[in-house]
Amino acid sequence: MISKEKVGRVMADLNGYELTHKKIMDSGKANFLKDGYERANLRKICKDAGVTTGAFYRHFNDKEDLFISLVDPLAKELLGFYNKFEEESFQNIEKNCGEDLSKINIEGSIESALYMC
C-alpha cells in the first residue's frame, strides 16, 4: 500500500511540474510577442520564467518545441473554423445556393476575425 506521504510528494511534484511548465509557456509567449521567434533568446525566456535551462529542457526539446506548443492550439482552432465553413460551402454548392454560399463565407470570415481578436 502506498502511504499518504508518498502520494502527497508525488502530487506536489506534479503541481511543481505544471507550475514550471506554465511559467515557461507564459515567458515564451511574452518573449516571442516582444522579440519575434528569431530574436527570442532561450536564456532570457528561462530567466523571465525563473527557471534554469535544465528545467526548460525537462519540458521542451528546444525553442522551436516551445513555440509549437504555444501556436499549435490556435492553429488547430483556426483550421477548425476553416473546415467548418468549407464544409458548409460545399454543401450549399451541391444545393445550388449561391446566395447562401456568400453568406456563409462572410459569416465565417467575421467569426474567424472575432476569434483572433
Side-chain angles (χ1 to χ4, degrees):
M1 182 176 211
I2 300 174
S3 71
K4 287 184 180 181
E5 292 169 9
K6 188 168 187 174
V7 169
R9 283 194 305 268
V10 169
M11 293 303 292
D13 288 347
L14 287 175
N15 289 336
Y17 181 90
E18 291 170 6
L19 179 60
T20 299
H21 195 83
K22 182 179 180 341
K23 286 179 179 180
I24 296 169
M25 293 279 286
D26 291 347
S27 177
K29 181 178 179 181
N31 278 272
F32 290 135
L33 286 172
K34 181 179 177 270
D35 299 327
Y37 176 80
E38 290 295 324
R39 296 184 72 205
N41 181 292
L42 187 59
R43 284 189 208 143
K44 183 162 180 356
I45 290 170
C46 292
K47 180 181 177 193
D48 292 351
V51 302
T52 64
T53 53
F56 175 89
Y57 287 115
R58 284 192 287 280
H59 293 264
F60 301 98
N61 294 326
D62 51 25
K63 182 173 81 167
E64 179 181 6
D65 188 27
L66 171 60
F67 186 79
I68 289 169
S69 295
L70 289 164
V71 173
D72 193 51
L74 175 63
K76 285 180 180 175
E77 286 229 28
L78 290 174
L79 285 173
F81 282 124
Y82 174 79
N83 290 334
K84 173 185 166 189
F85 293 111
E86 180 183 48
E87 184 177 319
E88 289 180 21
S89 295
F90 281 121
Q91 288 172 357
N92 281 308
I93 288 173
E94 292 171 3
K95 295 177 189 175
N96 285 328
C97 300
E99 289 178 26
D100 289 342
L101 181 60
S102 62
K103 183 180 174 188
I104 289 169
N105 288 330
I106 291 169
E107 288 173 2
S109 297
I110 291 170
E111 190 172 332
S112 298
L114 288 173
Y115 173 78
M116 286 188 269
C117 290

